[in-house]
Every structure is written in structure tokens, then in C-alpha cells.
Amino acid sequence: GCKLLARTILGEPLVLYRTAAGEPVALLDRCPHRLLPLSKGERRGDLIECGYHGLTFDPQGRCVRIPGQSVIPDAAHVRRYPAVEHMGMVWVWPGDPAKADRAKLFDQLPQWQMAQAPGAKWAWFPGPLTYVKANYQLLCENLVDPQHVAFAHKRTLGSPAMVDIPIESKQIGDTLLVTRWTPDSPASPILQRYGKWPGHVDRWQYYWCYPPHVAVVDFGAGPPGMPRTEEGRDANVRVFSAHFMTPETEEATHYFWFILRNFGVGDEAVNRDMVEQVVMTFNEDKEILEAIQESERAPFVQERVKIAIDGGTMRLRRVVERMIAAEQAEGEAARAATA
């Protein structure tokens, strides 16, 4: 709580910390005097003291002290970004502060709320932050792409039986859903560790994507012929992995994630084991996505081939392009109105 954390988001340098009351604070990480990052300074209670000449700023970004003078210039302030805590993470709004709306935060996973209650049948645990040197959209597209699992994740999530099973993709408003059921086949290694089935299983993968940057994967397995319903999945080994992609720059992403599961609740050993398994999976993705990002600098391919499994990723591109265009048009209209 007492440390200053420097983090770049959308190309903007931020300093993050908590007040004594636990409230998250996000300020521009620049002293307006000589531009030393404030993260190089020190906490003084709820204030930040610049490490160069001692200018001191409050959680609103206002300069409240300049050693050696009593008058504080109007320009002595830093930008404050609205920040709130939600689902175990701090969310920062980098746009117009007047448009910061808590109701717009992702809140589509009731199992997360259920896991916070005493005696819950769901276990929640966050994983370590993953840093990926790739554009956030490459990460999001990877999360509406069940086909890569059989090839990139042979040791953890994949199994050969999945390869030729068709993938269904649909759109509900701006939300994308890509699904695949793999009937009567061996469980993937990561699920077999916990289900310990004696024979074949039915498996599911539901990839939900909430553009532009949140994805939830609902996956699991049960006995062959199990009901393909919410209740059927709940009655068997079920896992949700939730992914939150925060762009650092055009070519790098802070990848926040957590896991929910309906087995081994309260078992720290299962927590540790699952984190290890999921980190192994993410490292497989990271290696591929960073190599693709590097290749995008010099593609050496004139035209990229589209194949049947690209339905989800193509939909995602179109939705994000539309969201960006709408936001830019709104900004242009606002500038025109004030001109």
C-alpha cells in the first residue's frame, strides 16, 4: 500500500498508490517542474514528494507545497486519472474525467461475486501479471480462437480429438461468443489432473469476448452424454479464466487475469498447481504472440490467408474498429461544438 508504482498505460506514464484509507490514486508520472517521474519520489502520508526539489502533490494532483516559497503557481499540478477498485483490480479511466462511469466496468461474471461469499462453492484466485510484447488485439484475438489450443497447448489444454470439431461463432450486441463441444474423447491434461476420469469425457470451451479488452473462457469436462446446459456444466469440473488486457503501448500489453473454479475450494495446493499450469499455458501463448508482433514489422507476405476458424477474430476486429470510429467521431463532434 505504501509504495509508488510506475506503470505506462496507452502510452501515458502513470504513478499509482493507495491512500491510508485504501483508495487507489492514479496521477501523471511527471513533476511539472523538471519532469522527474513522481514515482522516483517518496510518499509523505497520502502525498507524493518529488525526489528532485521536494514539490509535494495531493491525491487530486494539486501541488500543496514548494520548499522555499509560499506562493504555488497555478501550473503546479499533475493530471489525476479516475481510479476505482473492482473485481480485485484497479481500473483507471484515461479519457475525459467527466465521462468516467463506474456502470461501464465489466461485470458479467456472477461466479466472481459468488466466490467472495463465505462457504462459496466457487474458488477465486488471481494470477501473476503477465507482460507480453504484443499489441493487445493480438491477445484478445487469441482468446476467441479455440483452434490454436490443440497445437499451442499440447501439454496443458489441448488434445488431438478437438482438431476437426467445428467451431461456432456468434455475436450478441458487441459481445462475441465462440464455442466448441468435443464429445466422448480424452480429457485435456490440465482437466484430467483434477477430474481423474477413468475414460472418455465430453468437453466444452465457451470463449466470451467483451470488446475491446476483456475475455472470459468457460471450460471444463464431464461424463459422455452430460447435459449441454448451464446446470450440466456446473455439476461437473468447470473453470472460468478471466482475462483483462491493458495496452501499455501499441506493441506491449499488461495482461491481468484470474481463475474461478468449482472444485478444490479452499485448497491452497490446488490454487498453486493451477497457477503453475495456467502460467505454463500463457507462456506458450506469449512466445507465439511476441513472435507474431515481431513479424508484423516485416511481414514478407503480401496477403494473409483467411480460414474457416477466423470467424471470431474477424468479428472482433470489426467490433473494435467500429468502437474506435464511434469514439473518434464523438471526440470530433465535441471539438467542433467548442470551437
Side-chain angles (χ1 to χ4, degrees), residues 95-143:
D96 177 353
K99 292 183 178 175
D101 181 0
R102 187 163 191 145
K104 288 180 179 174
L105 293 176
F106 172 79
D107 204 12
Q108 314 293 319
L109 197 51
Q111 288 82 0
W112 186 84
Q113 274 84 14
M114 289 158 61
Q116 312 311 307
K121 67 167 189 169
W122 286 94
W124 168 77
F125 60 94
L129 171 64
T130 307
Y131 181 71
V132 184
K133 286 188 274 190
N135 183 277
Y136 80 99
Q137 279 193 276
L138 285 177
L139 277 71
C140 293
E141 288 168 5
N142 187 64
L143 287 159

Side-chain angles (χ1 to χ4, degrees), residues 31 63 68 102 106 114 171 184 192 208 220 256 327:
C31 178
C63 182
R102 187 163 191 145
F106 172 79
M114 289 158 61
Q171 195 166 329
D184 198 12
Q192 184 63 31
W208 294 90
F256 297 89
E327 192 172 277

Side-chain angles (χ1 to χ4, degrees), residues 13 33 44 48 61 152 198 222 269-270 303:
H33 174 223
R44 297 283 182 236
I48 299 183
V270 177
E303 188 180 349

Side-chain angles (χ1 to χ4, degrees), residues 11-27:
E12 298 186 25
L14 274 59
V15 58
L16 299 154
Y17 70 101
R18 289 183 187 277
T19 65
E23 292 298 313
V25 177
L27 302 175

Side-chain angles (χ1 to χ4, degrees), residues 34-113:
R34 292 290 185 84
L35 305 183
L36 181 71
L38 290 172
S39 57
K40 302 281 189 191
E42 290 188 27
R43 287 283 303 274
R44 297 283 182 236
D46 285 352
L47 310 176
I48 299 183
E49 180 184 272
C50 176
Y52 201 10
H53 297 97
L55 277 73
T56 304
F57 299 86
D58 71 9
Q60 302 302 313
R62 294 180 296 243
C63 182
V64 294
R65 177 174 181 260
I66 301 178
Q69 69 182 67
S70 56
V71 176
I72 295 175
D74 290 342
H77 61 83
V78 293
R79 180 178 175 188
R80 173 185 167 268
Y81 298 77
V84 295
E85 191 159 2
H86 175 64
M87 296 184 90
M89 295 169 285
V90 172
W91 300 64
V92 174
W93 177 261
D96 177 353
K99 292 183 178 175
D101 181 0
R102 187 163 191 145
K104 288 180 179 174
L105 293 176
F106 172 79
D107 204 12
Q108 314 293 319
L109 197 51
Q111 288 82 0
W112 186 84
Q113 274 84 14

